[in-house]
Amino acid sequence: MIETFRTLIAYTFKEHIRHRLYLSLFLFGFILLMGGLVISALAVEQRGRMMLDLGFSAIEFLGLTTIVFVSVNLVLSEIENRTIYLVVSRPLARWQYIVARFIGTTLAVALSMAVMALLHAVLLLPYTGVISASTYVMAWLCSVAKLTVVGSLALALSLLTTSAPTAMTFTFFLWAIGHFSQEVRFLGEKSAHMGVKALVWFFYHVAPDFSYFNYRDFFYTATPPTWAWGLSLGVYAFSYTAICLWIASVVFSKREF
Amino acid sequence: MPQKSALAILAVLVTLMLGSFQAMHKAYPWPYPPMSHLIAERTGLQDAALITAGFRPLAADIAWIQLLQYVGGWILPGEQEVSRYLLLKDMTLRVTRIDPYFRQVYLYSAGMLAFFRNIDRPDEALEVLGEGIRTNPQFWPLRVTVAAIGFMRGEEFEPMVRLLEDVIAHPDCPPVTKSILANAYKAHHRDADARRIWELILGDPNAGMYHDKARREIVEIDTRQLLTPKI
């Protein structure tokens, strides 16, 4: 069983890195990073900071686009092409299929983000003192963790809605809400109405809190986060992803082929 | 997988998720002000959209570039007089409300507001610095600049330049503060000190915009000294 699981992960990984969309987004990422060299000149004395922020944003934006498009179509395209029949006839539990496909996708996206980060780090070399290597790696890891949660959300939504455009729209909406979570909490605190407070509490806890994954926002602050934050963030990312995969597996198991 | 064990796994995961969510917020309280604090008059949509998309530092960088463009002569719609930079304080606070930890912006604008003769609005400079001190109490150049402005208002040159010397020693000090100090020395005919500061600017790779001026000033000082008859 483990062998089949591993084969499925490897198959998904190769499928993605050979995909035209993946390669074109990858190329776009390179262009965006190189373009950062020109754009950052406008920031004059803050060129290093601009290069850093623009690079992080470009890497995350392209990772986001890739993982949403790929995750949403991960199972839906197989259902549409009817290749899913070949898979479900194999001695592999449906949840294992979902998890293996998801891991393969996440690895492919993480690889593209790693290559882009490597190029970004090379471009940052002349700007000494802008960021330390360990801080950069931490910011990159947080970005990958964030996109892992987004990928699992997109996959669960694609199976729940069975429509790629709807799933993508909901995923991007949740991405925005996830960065808005502190504002949502603030609104809840300001409201005197109990119904509004309850609704806000629900959204605040159920919607993913993506703003807390932005380590790149925190290292500028007076007191950067501690290891306790990193540990709880890791557990949060893992449990949120696992819940989404659980939902995706249950929905997929109930489908009849 | 049996339904009961699947539900048990879900219950464990939800507990883990909610527990880690609380722990994460407890370990690190949110360090940024709410969006209602943003200066939203002209560019609120741009700033809010970038923050909501998760790119807060990039939003601050773009606002910083727009501040530089304004200082460089870009006139905003509805603004008549550009030479006094009437919107300088608002545009500065726009950047720092997006990212209150963008420390150099406070020094950059406060220096211009307080020490540039054509602007001369030290009260606004103190307002900008006050906001910076509230969010960055450990960043001492902000407090020292406040004291320097106090001495400038009392026309006490010596203590003012001594404090500005401290500020320019900080690695995060913007080149504009160095140029302010060099010009202050020049105005008081202290050529050796002015030359020293211009050389410092020449050696700063981040002060590229000031390098031409620094070279010109050094040549001017050297020529003046050559032409001055020695007694």
Side-chain angles (χ1 to χ4, degrees):
Chain A
M1 190 198 82
I2 289 179
E3 197 46 49
T4 322
F5 195 71
R6 211 181 291 159
T7 312
L8 200 53
I9 292 175
Y11 161 74
T12 311
F13 181 77
K14 281 181 199 160
E15 181 196 3
H16 290 320
I17 55 173
R18 286 173 186 162
H19 201 280
R20 212 180 301 154
L21 172 84
Y22 180 87
L23 292 173
S24 45
L25 280 171
F26 203 41
L27 185 72
F28 185 60
F30 274 109
I31 295 167
L32 211 58
L33 283 176
M34 299 308 280
L37 279 175
V38 181
I39 297 165
S40 63
L42 294 171
V44 196
E45 62 212 56
Q46 296 299 324
R47 194 172 181 180
R49 179 190 152 115
M50 179 92 194
M51 281 283 293
L52 180 71
D53 297 338
L54 194 66
F56 271 139
S57 305
I59 293 168
E60 189 170 292
F61 178 71
L62 290 162
L64 169 75
T65 318
T66 318
I67 207 156
V68 170
F69 277 86
V70 165
S71 302
V72 160
N73 291 303
L74 197 63
V75 182
L76 289 185
S77 63
E78 294 226 320
I79 296 173
E80 212 171 281
N81 301 337
R82 297 178 200 278
T83 44
I84 197 82
Y85 296 114
L86 295 170
V87 180
V88 291
S89 59
R90 299 254 166 198
L92 185 76
R94 291 199 182 180
W95 72 266
Q96 288 167 341
Y97 169 77
I98 291 286
V99 172
R101 293 282 277 161
F102 176 73
I103 292 173
T105 305
T106 310
L107 287 177
V109 173
L111 176 75
S112 76
M113 288 174 75
V115 176
M116 281 196 273
L118 209 63
L119 173 70
H120 185 215
V122 170
L123 294 175
L124 280 173
L125 279 179
Y127 306 98
T128 47
V130 172
I131 191 170
S132 69
S134 58
T135 310
Y136 189 96
V137 171
M138 184 67 186
W140 182 82
L141 280 174
C142 287
S143 205
V144 172
K146 191 202 245 187
L147 294 185
T148 306
V149 177
V150 175
S152 65
L153 253 177
L155 181 60
L157 285 168
S158 73
L159 288 164
L160 278 167
T161 60
T162 65
S163 151
T166 314
M168 279 181 208
T169 311
F170 270 111
T171 311
F172 283 119
F173 172 72
L174 282 168
W175 170 268
I177 285 283
H179 286 106
F180 211 67
S181 54
Q182 298 309 313
E183 307 305 319
V184 171
R185 186 179 59 95
F186 182 70
L187 285 174
E189 282 169 3
K190 291 279 163 197
S191 174
H193 196 276
M194 280 313 285
V196 175
K197 269 187 186 294
L199 195 71
V200 165
W201 186 94
F202 178 78
F203 263 103
Y204 181 57
H205 286 84
V206 171
D209 192 346
F210 290 132
S211 54
Y212 260 79
F213 285 81
N214 285 0
Y215 186 68
R216 59 171 195 270
D217 293 8
F218 300 152
F219 59 73
Y220 289 125
T221 61
T223 45
T226 55
W227 63 268
W229 164 84
L231 187 72
S232 43
L233 183 80
V235 176
Y236 180 70
F238 169 78
S239 49
Y240 208 102
T241 306
I243 291 169
C244 291
L245 292 179
W246 186 93
I247 295 168
S249 302
V250 168
V251 176
F252 188 58
S253 306
K254 296 223 182 290
R255 280 191 83 138
E256 283 179 16
F257 295 104
Chain B
M1 201 188 292
Q3 203 175 354
K4 268 189 183 171
S5 53
L7 285 173
I9 290 172
L10 180 67
V12 171
L13 289 173
V14 169
T15 314
L16 261 180
M17 190 267 277
L18 290 174
S20 56
F21 179 85
Q22 296 293 350
M24 192 167 72
H25 287 79
K26 205 176 159 192
Y28 193 63
W30 185 244
Y32 289 103
M35 271 201 207
S36 56
H37 285 211
L38 291 180
I39 306 251
E41 252 176 43
R42 290 179 179 80
T43 45
L45 188 64
Q46 175 196 313
D47 301 340
L50 279 167
I51 294 171
T52 310
F55 307 125
R56 183 184 284 271
L58 189 65
D61 293 345
I62 292 171
W64 160 251
I65 290 175
Q66 286 170 337
L67 169 69
L68 290 179
Q69 285 176 323
Y70 173 67
V71 171
W74 176 52
I75 302 169
L76 289 174
E79 197 195 10
Q80 302 299 321
E81 192 186 4
V82 75
S83 61
R84 292 198 67 229
Y85 301 107
L86 295 175
L87 295 170
L88 183 57
K89 187 195 87 179
D90 283 352
M91 292 199 71
T92 305
L93 293 181
R94 177 195 163 207
V95 184
T96 58
R97 296 271 173 90
I98 298 170
D99 183 358
Y101 308 98
F102 201 160
R103 299 173 187 97
Q104 296 87 343
V105 183
Y106 298 109
L107 288 176
Y108 176 86
S109 296
M112 284 186 69
L113 284 165
F115 298 104
F116 276 30
R117 277 189 210 147
N118 60 327
I119 300 178
D120 191 30
R121 293 198 296 277
D123 287 334
E124 289 188 6
L126 292 174
E127 215 178 302
V128 167
L129 289 167
E131 216 169 288
I133 291 167
R134 273 196 294 280
T135 38
N136 304 279
Q138 287 154 332
F139 188 59
W140 57 263
L142 297 175
R143 289 177 193 278
V144 177
T145 309
V146 169
I149 292 171
F151 284 122
M152 181 209 69
R153 286 175 130 179
E155 293 182 0
E156 293 177 71
F157 180 74
E158 270 311 318
M160 180 193 84
V161 290
R162 229 178 295 139
L163 289 171
L164 287 179
E165 287 277 3
D166 287 345
V167 176
I168 67 161
H170 196 282
D172 282 344
C173 172
V176 72
T177 314
K178 292 174 188 162
S179 116
I180 287 167
L181 182 58
N183 283 320
Y185 279 133
K186 185 184 172 184
H188 281 76
H189 311 291
R190 282 172 56 171
D191 282 353
D193 287 320
R195 195 183 195 285
R196 176 173 53 83
I197 304 298
W198 287 121
E199 275 177 354
L200 208 66
I201 291 172
L202 267 181
D204 180 357
N206 286 328
M209 250 180 84
Y210 294 84
H211 283 179
D212 277 346
K213 184 173 166 57
R215 276 189 212 102
R216 277 201 310 272
E217 290 287 341
I218 288 171
V219 169
E220 196 185 303
I221 291 167
D222 289 348
T223 317
R224 203 163 41 234
Q225 278 179 347
L226 276 173
L227 294 175
T228 310
K230 290 189 176 83
I231 305 163

